[in-house]
Amino acid sequence: MSLLERIKSLPVQSLYLGVLVAMVSTLSLSFLVFQLIANHVQRIQIDPTFNKFDELQLESARYELLHDGTPALRAYLGTLDRIFGGSHYLLNASGVDVLTGQSRAALLPAPPATQWRNRSHGRWVVAHKAPDNLYWFAAE
């Protein structure tokens, strides 16, 4: 019996089910491949860009503090809050907010990590440590 004869002899329901399974399988495989490609692109191109941007914000906040004092740092972080939304902080090595003295250590990753980007309660939490380990830039 040829393949065409076998297909003709199948009940309509079996043929419908076979087509449905083939379509769902194809869509599932396509989605999986798309996710793998998207994750690869994010790791290779997007994450490094955001990490450099976090480093720039850290260095800018640190510059404001060391050269123009806490009022300039407060203004800079306020500008970041206004433009990007959320709250931005310059923390000391222990995770204490330089401006308010409040502990914000919960925003920092566990050692030995020096940076992270994590989604928590529907918001992104970002932390980036200075190369000399004296400050952290954090945003939530």
Side-chain angles (χ1 to χ4, degrees), residues 34-94:
F34 174 77
Q35 282 298 110
L36 290 172
I37 291 169
N39 288 342
H40 178 73
V41 168
Q42 181 171 344
R43 267 192 329 274
I44 300 302
Q45 293 181 347
I46 296 172
D47 286 348
T49 301
F50 278 108
N51 290 338
K52 290 294 183 185
F53 188 64
D54 296 340
E55 187 177 336
L56 174 65
Q57 290 177 319
L58 168 64
E59 291 304 318
S60 297
R62 183 179 179 159
Y63 178 87
E64 292 296 335
L65 175 65
L66 297 178
H67 290 88
D68 298 322
T70 55
L73 174 62
R74 183 173 281 111
Y76 175 72
L77 295 176
T79 300
L80 293 178
D81 293 350
R82 182 177 45 81
I83 292 172
F84 296 109
S87 299
H88 297 77
Y89 309 101
L90 183 63
L91 310 176
N92 68 16
S94 302

Side-chain angles (χ1 to χ4, degrees), residues 120-132:
S120 176
H121 304 293
R123 297 185 71 169
W124 283 100
V125 177
V126 175
H128 195 95
K129 193 173 194 178
D132 63 6

